Amino acid sequence: MIESDLLDDSEAAPLIRLIDDDVRFRRALHGVLCAAGYRTAQYGSVGEMLLDGIGDAPGCLVLDIHMPGPSGLDLQEMIATQPEPLPVIFVTAQATVHETLRAMKAGAADFFFKPVDSDALLPVVAKVIEDDAVRRRARLRQTALQARYSRLSPRERQVLDMVVNGALNKQIGWELGAAERTVKAHRAHVMEKMEVRSLAELVKAVGQLEAPLTFAPVRGGN
């Protein structure tokens, strides 16, 4: 059975998913996190959470290692394959050196042993959630930028490539075999589609593209 404190009108608000088969500890931790202003979803096992679905809400996972069914380490590996992998904080009663190293090598944000000090845990939770939010905003910006770039025609990408490399309209026109007014029109379309207002903004945007396409100058045609 899932116990959760979800806000229907706040899907984007951070959600801490608590996964632990120790009901008393899980409820106690839930109380600490709620008192700190966080919303939580509680699960008694990895399977229980997977049946409910990870969902799209940002936040983090706070979980034990040893539970009935798949372990916390198994879940960590599953989460790592998601498009938006959630950060993981382990809170466990016992763990071998191998398990601890496996968790940290797989990217665990932190590792605590029970009983956990809430004064130590809460700052880690806050940092992990903020770091996750920063990463998500960066990915959204990158996705939007790539979408703008994909709207450019092949000729506009050629013009873009030459513009950001410092070529003047006359030089671009000569390389492409196009009239200067045609080049100006292409530049205007590039600026509009890339949603920038200056050459400096355009250069910055191109620098942030993950894999901008580069077209060699082709003479002839508009």
Side-chain angles (χ1 to χ4, degrees):
M1 179 179 179
I2 297 170
E3 304 166 10
S4 59
D5 295 306
L6 306 183
L7 305 179
D8 295 336
D9 59 348
S10 184
E11 291 184 357
L15 172 67
I16 301 175
R17 300 149 176 91
L18 306 176
I19 309 166
D20 198 314
D21 61 329
D22 184 337
V23 178
R24 291 179 63 183
F25 175 79
R26 191 176 71 236
R27 288 179 176 171
L29 187 54
H30 157 79
V32 168
L33 292 168
C34 285
Y38 296 108
R39 65 184 185 121
T40 72
Q42 299 183 54
Y43 306 94
S45 68
V46 170
E48 194 175 337
M49 193 213 72
L50 293 176
L51 283 173
D52 189 49
I54 297 172
D56 297 324
C60 68
L61 297 170
V62 178
L63 70 156
D64 198 355
I65 287 183
H66 302 288
M67 292 177 282
S71 71
L73 294 170
D74 293 330
L75 177 59
Q76 183 186 25
E77 292 178 354
M78 292 181 225
I79 292 293
T81 66
Q82 300 297 309
E84 295 283 357
L86 290 164
V88 174
I89 299 172
F90 281 103
V91 180
T92 189
Q94 58 181 356
T96 65
V97 172
H98 173 73
E99 289 170 334
T100 305
L101 289 175
R102 179 181 166 189
M104 300 310 292
K105 286 182 178 180
D110 216 321
F111 200 104
F112 293 89
F113 284 96
K114 298 176 182 176
V116 63
D117 183 354
S118 60
D119 289 337
L121 178 63
L122 288 175
V124 171
V125 169
K127 184 178 186 306
V128 164
I129 287 177
E130 176 57 28
D131 289 348
D132 180 57
V134 169
R135 284 191 296 269
R136 285 172 180 264
R137 287 194 294 267
R139 282 192 288 268
L140 285 173
R141 286 195 299 269
Q142 183 62 231
T143 299
L145 190 56
Q146 293 289 154
R148 293 173 201 158
Y149 184 77
S150 68
R151 302 203 310 254
L152 299 179
S153 69
R155 177 47 56 91
E156 288 166 351
R157 294 182 189 182
Q158 287 179 308
V159 171
L160 170 62
D161 184 55
M162 286 184 276
V163 166
V164 298
N165 281 289
L168 302 175
N169 289 344
K170 288 183 179 180
Q171 295 171 311
I172 296 172
W174 183 83
E175 289 288 351
L176 298 181
E180 189 172 347
R181 65 178 179 276
T182 302
V183 173
K184 288 180 179 179
H186 285 316
R187 287 188 65 151
H189 292 155
V190 167
M191 300 289 281
E192 180 182 355
K193 291 181 180 180
M194 292 297 292
E195 298 181 19
V196 295
R197 295 170 294 180
S198 67
L199 177 58
E201 288 184 8
L202 182 64
V203 171
K204 181 179 179 181
V206 171
Q208 292 173 341
L209 285 167
E210 288 183 344
L213 301 178
T214 300
F215 288 80
V218 177
R219 293 194 177 101
N222 293 325

